[in-house]
Amino acid sequence: MIAELSSTVRIISPSHHVGLDDYAAVGALALPVQDLRAHAAIIVPRFEDRTIWMVNSTAQGGGVAEMLPGVVALLRELGLAVEWVVAGSDDPDFFRLTKRIHNLVHGEGDPALTRDDRTLFETVSRRNSDALAARVKVTDVLVIHDPQTVALGAMLKESIGLPTIWRCHIGLDRRTPETSAAWKFLRPWATACDRAVFSAPEYIPDYLSGKATIIHPAVDPLSHKNRDLSIHKLVGILCNSGLIGEQAPPRSPPFEHRARRLQPDGRWAAATEPEDLGLLFRPFVTQVSRWDRLKGWRPLLRGFVTLKERYTHDGKLEPIGLRTIETSRLLLAGPDPEAIEDDPEGREVLDELRDDYLALPSALQREIAILALPMDSAKQNALMVNALQRCSTVVVQNSLREGFGLTVTEAMWKAIPVLGSSAAGIRQQIHDGLEGRLVRDPEDPDEIARALREMLADDHARDRWARAAQRRAHHDFLIFTQLRRWLEVLGEIG
Ligand code: UDP
């Protein structure tokens, strides 16, 4: 359900199919739920008749939109009045600018932000803040997510005076001229907020050091993206989404929108064309992400090609390890291009990847699948990602930069071995050799190939990494820890 406050500001009712009792019924989750309830009993009474407004810029796509429905629904169940507002813009220049700011915070792009950029940022934010102003009260709490909404937050803080928290999900662990340009641009609005929340201490700009705190992002273990799938359910999802051929008798009808696969002639067609992917039998190396240059797609593709060229005749490997490498396939999956029409950079990145793929010899093209996942239904998209991650022998996140990297957490929780890059957010989650493997340089195909060789050839090490990763995710990166931290932060300001 959606309520429109203006053409660009909407209140969204997240659909969430499980409640705290459902989590508590799962053995390993009972204690964290109990702990969360105990915290809520202390904090929640202080927020009677007050609304917590969570504001971000998109309802779908990316880590923030992934987390908010669960956070909003469970905070509500704990007794808080929480509303989720999406404040966007119909001006593509606004998102082009915010994408530039996003990249600059990660140290990439042209640092020259102009007076016109500031005017555009302020105009869109002013319009959105005016649309929301009639709904918020001085006793409410405003939580604004990421740079896209920071000026809106500062404006509401100024006009209404309510406590305002800026939750910034991105960051880099060093300062460069690019990051400095972004932080300078954001400074007037960021400093107007009462508190700031970051995913890692290294990300906090100096001017926020006194009022910033850390909350790790987290996954929801019972969401469609992460919940356990029985073998029948998993095969059913693959079948319904067109990722494997039809099986008889069908248990449920096919999804209306199905996955598509890039073909050797450059068309998008059924995922089972020109032949079955082999998801149920082959060892898959999988990356699922947005089509963003910073996700390291092209070097990953080159790394896999190097693996196939260099290590399929490696005499030092045991036969089983060699066979795993020989039969392995690479799966690169992201949003269907139809869903990213308003994301020019995403289309460019996908086009570049497509060109790389089309230039490969056909024997290698057969070993690599580039998949477009429909975004029309959030639930079906989540189930597809869940099933694909579970079908993988290794999940990769080869990001050049990463604020956190929920895809890593998702694989850790599922006990799927992860190959990450040493981008700051991924290093928060994985210590190299302990909870998975990390490549030092995600732009070096040789290093990626060596790491994949090592991972694919060693079943025992994969099991070890996977178990340690699941333990870490359970302890630090489940939604309960995140919610408890939110209650603590609210307690401090309320
Ligand atoms: N994702 C998805 N479908 C896709 C691509 C990505 O559901 O086609 C999800 C992915 O599973 C993860 C989120 O989008 O939950 C991406 O979050 P992450 O923190 O990895 O990166 P971000 O996109 O926020 O940079």
Side-chain angles (χ1 to χ4, degrees):
M1 232 183 54
I2 291 175
E4 309 249 344
L5 300 187
S6 76
S7 62
T8 55
V9 181
R10 298 170 296 154
I11 298 184
I12 304 215
S13 294
S15 62
H16 196 68
H17 58 294
V18 284
L20 286 167
D21 286 343
D22 298 299
Y23 297 95
V26 180
L29 306 180
L31 262 181
V33 171
Q34 195 184 329
D35 184 44
L36 180 64
R37 283 187 158 130
H39 268 75
I42 300 166
I43 305 291
V44 169
R46 287 154 56 183
F47 287 85
E48 214 173 310
D49 300 324
R50 301 169 72 180
T51 302
I52 320 286
W53 298 89
M54 293 268 177
V55 186
N56 80 322
S57 67
T58 173
Q60 220 185 350
V64 181
E66 175 74 25
M67 280 186 298
L68 278 177
V71 168
V72 170
L74 293 179
L75 286 177
R76 280 181 183 175
E77 199 185 334
L78 289 167
L80 291 168
V82 186
E83 294 290 353
W84 175 17
V85 174
V86 170
S89 173
D90 34 32
D91 182 351
D93 283 343
F94 176 74
F95 284 114
R96 229 168 266 139
L97 171 62
T98 57
K99 179 78 196 193
R100 268 188 71 204
I101 297 169
H102 175 103
N103 286 343
L104 285 172
V105 168
H106 283 135
E108 292 286 315
D110 173 7
L113 290 163
T114 62
R115 193 183 291 267
D116 285 349
D117 293 331
R118 184 167 295 276
T119 306
L120 171 64
F121 199 64
E122 280 179 340
T123 309
V124 170
S125 305
R126 175 70 62 200
R127 209 176 298 139
N128 287 345
S129 107
D130 288 348
L132 199 51
R135 303 294 285 261
V136 303
K137 316 187 287 294
V138 64
T139 48
D140 290 349
V141 178
L142 184 64
V143 184
I144 43 173
H145 292 259
D146 276 339
Q148 291 91 321
T149 56
V150 67
L152 172 163
M155 289 168 184
L156 276 175
K157 168 85 203 167
E158 194 188 2
S159 60
I160 312 283
L162 77 172
T164 299
I165 303 169
W166 184 37
R167 173 49 171 125
C168 181
H169 296 263
I170 56 177
L172 188 68
D173 52 350
R174 53 185 187 275
R175 297 290 170 256
T176 68
E178 290 78 15
T179 63
S180 301
W183 288 121
K184 185 169 166 220
F185 183 83
L186 297 171
R187 183 171 185 153
W189 305 296
T191 49
C193 300
D194 300 288
R195 297 292 304 265
V197 176
F198 285 84
S199 298
E202 299 92 308
Y203 300 170
I204 302 169
D206 292 342
Y207 59 74
L208 290 178
S209 60
K211 48 169 128 171
T213 188
I214 306 302
I215 298 183
H216 285 310
V219 295
D220 175 347
L222 296 189
S223 69
H224 295 302
K225 178 76 56 75
N226 297 304
R227 68 182 156 98
D228 243 347
L229 298 174
S230 69
I231 298 278
H232 283 93
K233 182 85 190 166
L234 184 138
V235 171
I237 293 164
L238 295 177
C239 196
N240 288 161
S241 51
L243 289 161
I244 58 173
E246 293 294 334
Q247 310 288 317
R251 215 174 66 112
S252 52
F255 293 165
E256 190 187 337
H257 300 278
R258 309 177 73 168
R260 299 193 291 162
R261 175 177 175 187
L262 182 65
Q263 300 296 308
D265 62 4
R267 283 176 312 121
W268 290 94
T272 47
E273 299 287 334
E275 56 165 18
D276 192 73
L277 289 161
L279 280 168
L280 293 176
F281 297 99
R282 297 245 184 190
F284 266 87
V285 171
T286 304
Q287 175 163 303
V288 182
S289 274
R290 292 179 296 106
W291 304 113
D292 184 318
R293 201 161 274 121
L294 296 179
K295 300 295 180 186
W297 294 105
R298 296 180 85 184
L300 172 58
L301 179 82
R302 285 199 299 279
F304 188 79
V305 167
T306 308
L307 171 85
K308 287 289 190 174
E309 287 174 346
R310 201 171 289 166
Y311 298 120
T312 41
H313 306 286
D314 187 339
K316 291 194 211 104
L317 290 172
E318 301 282 330
I320 178 79
L322 195 58
R323 188 81 188 122
T324 307
I325 293 174
E326 270 171 12
T327 53
S328 66
R329 286 190 161 166
L330 177 68
L331 196 155
L332 305 177
D336 192 290
E338 280 173 12
I340 56 166
E341 265 157 18
D342 55 353
D343 174 12
E345 188 187 313
R347 295 190 72 94
E348 232 173 80
V349 170
L350 187 52
D351 285 347
E352 289 164 7
L353 198 60
R354 191 191 62 179
D355 293 346
D356 288 355
Y357 176 78
L358 297 185
L360 291 173
S362 56
L364 276 167
Q365 283 177 338
R366 276 199 294 278
E367 307 297 320
I368 296 170
I370 299 180
L371 289 185
L373 306 181
M375 303 295 282
D376 308 80
S377 153
K379 174 179 172 184
Q380 289 172 4
N381 180 272
L383 289 172
M384 285 183 220
V385 173
N386 189 345
L388 287 174
Q389 288 169 334
R390 288 184 192 279
C391 286
S392 304
T393 300
V394 174
V395 161
V396 184
Q397 193 56 53
N398 190 48
S399 305
L400 314 188
R401 305 278 194 276
E402 194 63 76
F404 190 71
L406 277 182
T407 52
V408 170
T409 336
E410 287 156 8
M412 290 171 76
W413 171 245
K414 296 180 179 87
I416 310 296
V418 178
L419 174 62
S421 68
S422 46
I426 300 179
R427 271 194 284 112
Q428 300 280 318
Q429 305 185 66
I430 291 184
H431 301 92
D432 189 22
L434 209 60
E435 293 102 354
R437 285 295 328 273
L438 300 181
V439 288
R440 262 180 313 131
D441 180 2
E443 295 192 272
D444 178 359
D446 289 347
E447 194 190 348
I448 296 168
R450 281 197 304 276
L452 285 175
R453 170 192 178 276
E454 184 197 343
M455 294 187 82
L456 290 171
D458 192 340
D459 292 14
H460 295 296
R462 282 204 311 278
D463 282 349
R464 233 181 17 253
W465 293 320
R467 278 196 299 270
Q470 192 177 45
R471 258 198 323 273
R472 176 95 210 273
H474 182 264
H475 195 259
D476 292 336
F477 307 133
L478 288 188
I479 193 167
F480 316 106
T481 313
Q482 186 189 30
L483 292 171
R484 215 186 58 214
R485 289 285 298 126
W486 270 119
L487 290 173
E488 283 163 9
V489 171
L490 288 172
E492 280 160 24
I493 63 157

